[in-house]
Amino acid sequence: MAALEEEFTLSVGALGAGPNGVLGVEPSDKTDQFLVTDSSRTVILYKVSDQKPLGSWSVKQGQVITCPAVCNFQTGEYIVVHDNKVLRIWNNEDVNLDKVFKATLSAEVYRIHSIQGTEPVVQFKEGAVRGLEALLAEPQQKIETVISDGEVIKNALSIFFITFFHGSYFAYVQMFNSRNLSKYTLLLGPEEKCITLNFTAYVDRKFISLMSISSDGCIYESLIPIYPSDTEKNQRVVKSQLLKAVVSDNSRSGIALTVLDRDHIAVLGPLMPASKDCLSIWNIKFQTLQTSKELPQGTSGQLWYYGENLFMLYGKVLTVIPYKCEVSSLAGALGKLKHSQDAGTHTIPHFVNWETSQGYGLGSQNSEQSRRILRRKKLEVSLQPEVPVSEQLLSTIKKDSEKHIEVELRKFLAAKWTPDFHTQIGDIVTGLLGRCKAEPSFYPRNCLIQLIQTHTLSYSLCSGLMEIALEKTDVQMLQLCLHQFPDIPESVTCACLKIFLSIGDDSLQEININMESVFDYSDTKQDEKMEEQPEILQNGFSPENGNCGNFNQKVNEKPQNAAEETTSCPVTPKRAALLNAILHSAYSEVFLLPHLKDIPAQHITLFLQYLYFLYLKCSENATMTLPGIHPPTLSQIMDWICLLLDANFTVVVMIPEAKRLLINLYKFVKSQISVYSELNKIEVSFRELQKLNQEKNNRGLYSIEVLELF
């Protein structure tokens, strides 16, 4: 359970004079003391418990502080940068910043990171980092460019920072001691077409848990390995939804979030469905709102926390709100945990140095004691037999919740892949499917989709996967399996086809489906042009010129209906994407035909109408191809038309709704036969031309030739 206590205001004086209010709030080397940096010219040292300033320092008129002041915990001095390149260092006895130590750097500084027990680190706007001592030894040293041209740093958490370039976000992990730099592309996911508003992060064992809040009101999480397997390649990280509907989905400003501990997160922004700004604390583990405080005056979207205090700019003043988070439990998440003095609280640092710290904590102020504790922990771990990560995950699958399994699986997939990775993936899928059969209510579809996307599975390795997806009518997973698995039996392919043809359009509307194979059907200009055309020309052949007998007469009885059939797709785009997955699947005609006979006639007719529509679209292009990233080919379309007619012709021919379709198919086949007949007639002439071309070397330098074709 979490609780927000009564807030109080710091006596800020000139705070808020700058354009952005507060640049940052950073801890001092003394308990309960914090440095507050104005976005204009002033740094103020506050003692929070006394609610009064202990000291104030300002740069000269015309100079502007460009990054928050921090404390060097090793020396007790303060560091700030003004005008992007000028670094100042002072202590409590200094009065005038103009007379303290000054160093002019060769590149613009983005942020200074200082953590207890370590040397401060200076991060430059181009992404490079330097230790403070090495930088002061040679202030004008050349600073390399780390990020790509055009990228802009949006957030920096210790030596982990995020950049933005042309609509994409990238995460960099800088190992300062080893100078290793890893770059990751943050994938938004096919369903997320919204703006990322803010980021926060913390370290969980060997991973950085990066959380972001988006304009759709949801919080997403990405797991980034601290020690990647390949530091040279630009690796990709997928975002998954962590909390849904946290803030109003029409919010664009005043949004901020920060992690309080492994189970709690603080969010600044309007709660749904209300539109008033609030400060709220959410339980990540149990997906519940723990507490909230309404902020009538609105916020600026700036939120910090240290110890058990939340700092926020409220109006023109800096407000402090003490809070408490008890150890997460189901009773606490539901607000039924009795308050006890023994109820522990645990927090994690906002900025974490993962070169020197383990787990959630930092080294204490006594660095020597911290090193002894760390060595003792390493000794205890070394004496215990190490359990493989895959076995730990299999143990988690047997007893834990779907959400916890999903988190542990993402950590497993983000780690370095071993030679037996394929085998481990197979064991994990088997474990998940085994629990699905034992517990009908257990269906970890997000986990199964992540495993399929590793491109290591096949139908023979996890045959029960598609069976469960068929039982659950999970068309998204079935489509993914059809794309990924090369060895799906024909009986399963037909079972998928039955579901794709029978599922309602309303059900498909809410399902996330890969639409790469579907082109845009809303080409109104093309549709209007086709509607004006009473008949269709196929490769230069007009059906009116052919001898189609009564068929032409019957087709021309309702020209308007025929035009509609040729211009409008008989299925919705999402159903078309599913059917395209069937067209791309591998099959053997001998084994497929018996199963096609089991599909209802009305569904066969619908599929034939869709294939007929695709054939018309192919015929519009000289290349006989469809637009799109991965559309069906003409060969696949024709093969499936033949398969469906071979398996169901005697049934389809008796259906009145299929009569016009069969007539149109007959006309197209007849037109193609006529085209090929004409081509065969001139085949001999082409051969003679080829012979003449081969004999041209026997002619002189100049000649006039007349060729007559009969």
Side-chain angles (χ1 to χ4, degrees):
M1 185 174 179
L4 293 170
E5 300 180 1
E6 188 66 27
E7 75 272 12
F8 56 87
T9 300
L10 292 180
S11 181
V12 294
L15 187 64
N20 299 318
V22 177
L23 277 182
V25 178
E26 296 289 337
S28 176
D29 60 338
K30 303 291 192 304
T31 305
D32 200 34
Q33 294 184 11
F34 295 89
L35 287 168
V36 179
T37 307
D38 186 274
S39 62
S40 180
R41 300 172 49 217
T42 308
V43 178
I44 306 173
L45 178 65
Y46 285 102
K47 186 173 183 179
V48 173
S49 58
D50 293 343
Q51 303 179 32
K52 67 177 184 180
L54 300 179
S56 176
W57 300 269
S58 298
V59 295
K60 291 194 304 184
Q61 185 73 31
Q63 297 175 340
V64 178
I65 296 177
T66 51
C67 82
V70 300
C71 178
N72 185 341
F73 295 101
Q74 294 181 332
T75 64
E77 297 174 318
Y78 308 125
I79 312 167
V80 76
V81 174
H82 64 82
D83 301 311
N84 294 310
K85 292 185 178 182
V86 182
L87 186 145
R88 300 276 186 175
I89 300 177
W90 77 99
N91 54 37
N92 286 320
E93 287 71 30
D94 293 316
V95 178
N96 190 345
L97 283 185
D98 193 41
K99 297 181 180 180
V100 302
F101 176 83
K102 170 185 174 183
T104 302
L105 309 178
S106 61
E108 295 186 355
V109 175
Y110 178 79
R111 190 74 182 264
I112 301 175
H113 304 288
S114 184
I115 304 171
Q116 291 186 6
T118 62
E119 176 189 7
V121 174
V122 179
Q123 182 181 26
F124 293 89
K125 289 186 177 180
E126 300 299 329
V129 295
R130 291 287 189 275
L132 180 63
E133 295 302 325
L135 186 62
L136 295 180
E138 189 182 353
Q140 286 296 309
Q141 62 182 275
K142 183 179 180 181
I143 305 299
E144 70 276 10
T145 299
V146 172
I147 62 178
S148 304
D149 186 25
E151 285 187 68
V152 179
I153 298 179
K154 287 292 184 181
N155 293 76
L157 302 171
S158 188
I159 43 181
F160 165 72
F161 59 95
I162 300 163
T163 63
F164 179 79
F165 180 62
H166 282 186
S168 299
Y169 286 93
F170 305 93
Y172 291 81
V173 179
Q174 175 76 60
M175 294 292 100
F176 180 66
N177 289 349
S178 60
R179 291 295 179 93
N180 288 332
L181 179 70
S182 304
K183 181 179 180 181
Y184 300 87
T185 301
L186 303 180
L187 301 180
L188 298 180
E191 75 284 351
E192 188 183 351
K193 297 180 180 179
C194 49
I195 304 170
T196 301
L197 303 177
N198 211 327
F199 289 95
T200 187
Y202 72 95
V203 175
D204 183 2
R205 290 182 292 182
K206 297 181 179 180
F207 295 90
I208 302 167
S209 177
L210 174 63
M211 299 182 187
S212 60
I213 188 166
S214 300
S215 57
D216 61 354
C218 300
I219 293 179
Y220 297 86
E221 181 185 36
S222 302
L223 291 175
I224 301 174
I226 298 174
Y227 302 100
S229 56
D230 192 345
T231 59
E232 298 298 328
K233 294 182 180 179
N234 183 2
Q235 304 177 64
R236 300 157 74 90
V237 178
V238 180
K239 294 169 64 176
S240 62
Q241 191 178 89
L242 189 64
L243 285 173
K244 188 177 182 180
V246 174
V247 297
S248 176
D249 56 4
N250 58 0
S251 303
R252 289 293 185 274
S253 60
I255 306 295
L257 76 163
T258 185
V259 180
L260 304 179
D261 58 42
R262 70 181 72 183
D263 294 329
H264 296 89
I265 187 169
V267 180
L268 197 62
L271 282 175
M272 294 185 68
S275 59
K276 295 182 179 179
D277 286 330
C278 293
L279 174 63
S280 56
I281 296 180
W282 294 76
N283 188 303
I284 302 172
K285 186 175 183 180
F286 296 107
Q287 306 277 298
T288 56
L289 173 63
Q290 296 290 276
T291 184
S292 65
K293 182 184 290 288
E294 189 174 314
L295 306 171
Q297 297 182 23
T299 68
S300 63
Q302 293 179 295
L303 182 66
W304 304 268
Y305 100 96
Y306 295 100
E308 294 185 351
N309 292 314
L310 285 163
F311 298 81
M312 55 176 288
L313 189 63
Y314 188 36
K316 290 294 184 180
V317 297
L318 188 65
T319 300
V320 180
I321 304 179
Y323 76 95
K324 290 187 180 296
C325 286
E326 296 176 340
V327 177
S328 183
S329 65
L330 183 58
L334 298 176
K336 297 181 179 180
L337 183 66
K338 294 182 179 180
H339 181 71
S340 172
Q341 292 181 354
D342 297 332
T345 61
H346 56 286
T347 60
I348 59 175
H350 192 72
F351 300 123
V352 181
N353 184 346
W354 41 82
E355 285 288 341
T356 60
S357 61
Q358 298 291 326
Y360 297 95
L362 283 174
S364 64
Q365 292 184 6
N366 189 337
S367 59
E368 191 63 33
Q369 180 184 0
S370 176
R371 284 192 289 269
R372 286 198 300 269
I373 295 173
L374 183 58
R375 285 195 295 269
R376 186 170 64 251
K377 287 182 178 180
K378 288 183 177 180
L379 179 60
E380 292 173 356
V381 172
S382 64
L383 294 176
Q384 298 176 357
E386 184 177 356
V387 180
V389 180
S390 58
E391 293 186 12
Q392 295 177 11
L393 182 56
L394 288 173
S395 177
T396 302
I397 289 172
K398 293 178 181 179
K399 56 184 179 181
D400 287 359
S401 64
E402 293 182 15
K403 185 66 179 178
H404 183 60
I405 294 173
E406 182 181 349
V407 172
E408 294 300 319
L409 177 62
R410 284 191 281 114
K411 294 178 182 178
F412 170 76
L413 296 177
K416 183 178 180 179
W417 290 12
T418 58
D420 59 343
F421 180 76
H422 291 67
T423 305
Q424 293 175 353
I425 290 293
D427 294 339
I428 293 170
V429 173
T430 303
L432 290 171
L433 296 180
R435 185 173 172 184
C436 288
K437 293 179 181 178
E439 301 177 23
S441 61
F442 179 78
Y443 183 55
R445 67 184 308 274
N446 291 336
C447 295
L448 294 173
I449 288 176
Q450 287 184 65
L451 292 167
I452 296 172
Q453 290 174 337
T454 60
H455 302 276
T456 59
L457 295 175
S458 62
Y459 181 86
S460 57
L461 190 61
C462 53
S463 57
L465 178 56
M466 294 192 71
E467 294 178 7
I468 291 179
L470 288 169
E471 292 176 5
K472 303 288 186 179
T473 318
D474 192 340
V475 296
Q476 180 187 6
M477 187 175 296
L478 291 175
Q479 183 197 32
L480 192 59
C481 290
L482 287 169
H483 286 160
Q484 301 289 343
F485 296 171
D487 55 346
I488 300 176
E490 286 77 1
S491 59
V492 178
T493 302
C494 283
C496 295
L497 179 58
K498 287 182 182 179
I499 290 180
F500 294 167
L501 291 169
S502 61
I503 189 171
D505 291 336
D506 294 338
S507 300
L508 285 177
Q509 191 69 24
E510 304 298 327
I511 300 175
N512 179 28
I513 294 174
N514 187 339
M515 304 294 291
E516 287 185 351
S517 64
V518 180
F519 58 92
D520 186 10
Y521 298 131
S522 59
D523 190 355
T524 55
K525 293 182 180 180
Q526 190 177 28
D527 292 349
E528 291 174 359
K529 183 178 179 180
M530 293 183 67
E531 287 178 3
E532 294 173 359
Q533 191 172 332
E535 67 279 334
I536 299 170
L537 299 178
Q538 293 300 321
N539 295 330
F541 178 77
S542 174
E544 288 186 356
N545 296 332
N547 185 16
C548 296
N550 294 331
F551 292 116
N552 286 338
Q553 183 179 356
K554 293 180 180 180
V555 172
N556 293 329
E557 288 176 359
K558 297 180 180 181
Q560 293 181 354
N561 293 339
E564 291 178 2
E565 289 180 6
T566 59
T567 58
S568 60
C569 182
V571 298
T572 61
K574 286 194 173 183
R575 193 187 304 275
L578 297 176
L579 295 177
N580 288 350
I582 295 291
L583 297 181
H584 285 298
S585 61
Y587 64 88
S588 173
E589 183 176 347
V590 176
F591 297 108
L592 185 63
L593 283 174
H595 298 289
L596 289 176
K597 296 179 181 179
D598 298 333
I599 301 178
Q602 63 270 24
H603 293 161
I604 291 293
T605 303
L606 179 62
F607 197 15
L608 281 171
Q609 289 173 345
Y610 174 64
L611 294 172
Y612 174 65
F613 168 79
L614 292 181
Y615 185 86
L616 291 178
K617 290 296 181 182
C618 282
S619 302
E620 293 174 3
N621 300 326
T623 58
M624 298 295 283
T625 58
L626 292 171
I629 297 176
H630 191 50
T633 63
L634 179 61
S635 176
Q636 291 171 340
I637 296 169
M638 295 301 297
D639 289 344
W640 271 93
I641 290 176
C642 295
L643 284 169
L644 295 174
L645 291 176
D646 288 346
N648 300 276
F649 183 77
T650 55
V651 177
V652 174
V653 76
M654 303 298 294
I655 302 177
E657 294 82 2
K659 186 175 182 180
R660 181 168 300 280
L661 174 64
L662 294 176
I663 292 173
N664 288 335
L665 289 174
Y666 172 82
K667 290 171 57 182
F668 275 96
V669 171
K670 189 174 180 64
S671 68
Q672 293 300 310
I673 292 175
S674 299
V675 170
Y676 283 113
S677 176
E678 296 297 326
L679 290 175
N680 288 331
K681 291 179 182 179
I682 63 174
E683 182 181 5
V684 177
S685 300
F686 280 124
R687 289 178 181 175
E688 294 298 325
L689 287 174
Q690 188 177 8
K691 291 180 181 179
L692 292 173
N693 187 43
Q694 292 174 353
E695 296 175 357
K696 71 178 183 178
N697 292 332
N698 300 329
R699 299 184 180 91
L701 297 177
Y702 175 79
S703 64
I704 298 176
E705 301 177 18
V706 179
L707 303 177
E708 296 183 3
L709 299 178
F710 299 96

